[in-house]
Amino acid sequence: METVQQHVCCGMRPELCHSINAEMRLMILDAGVLRTQMLYRNDVFARHAASEKDVNKSYQHAGYRQYTLIHHGRLGLGVRRPVPSCCTWDIRDTFPDPDEFYVPYEPSW
Ligand SMILES: [Zn+2]
């Protein structure tokens, strides 16, 4: 991982790791769920959909947002929480960047 904050795992015992629970597969790694979230978000914020070239990057960011919403709730403008490394790698492996370029986590302070 690129930053110290990203080295943090979910802290659960291996059998309870967030990356292997059903919630991760059904709500964070499912392209249909993430596509619906992106359509809603684009509609609310009057944004354009990502180009085909950037589709996996959009899925990655939607997965990070989905993880944060599920585990921390709504954080508010400018407030961030790192996604644990175990889940970040699942999201990146599911929606890989063709150029293997990943934006590092930036804390909100
Ligand atoms: Zn974990």
Side-chain angles (χ1 to χ4, degrees):
M1 303 306 287
E2 295 84 359
T3 65
V4 172
Q5 291 90 350
Q6 289 176 291
H7 283 277
V8 178
C9 187
C10 67
M12 300 301 225
R13 294 189 318 249
E15 65 273 17
L16 298 175
C17 177
H18 289 177
S19 68
I20 61 169
N21 71 23
E23 192 174 74
M24 183 76 184
R25 187 171 22 82
L26 295 172
M27 298 180 69
I28 299 170
L29 299 178
D30 184 89
V33 170
L34 297 181
R35 195 167 35 253
T36 303
Q37 181 225 84
M38 290 187 292
L39 285 170
Y40 178 75
R41 188 168 188 267
N42 289 344
D43 187 48
V44 168
F45 294 110
R47 301 172 63 152
H48 296 286
S51 68
E52 276 300 312
K53 178 181 173 281
D54 294 330
V55 71
N56 270 10
K57 187 172 294 304
S58 294
Y59 281 129
Q60 287 171 28
H61 288 263
Y64 301 149
R65 282 192 302 272
Q66 196 85 328
Y67 179 92
T68 300
L69 183 64
I70 291 168
H71 291 278
H72 302 293
R74 186 175 183 279
L75 296 178
L77 189 64
V79 179
R80 296 177 176 202
R81 294 279 194 288
V83 175
S85 59
C86 50
C87 298
T88 297
W89 280 115
D90 269 2
I91 293 168
R92 289 178 178 181
D93 288 346
T94 304
F95 306 107
D97 185 300
D99 301 323
E100 296 188 25
F101 175 75
Y102 298 103
V103 178
Y105 170 79
E106 292 183 25
S108 54
W109 51 66

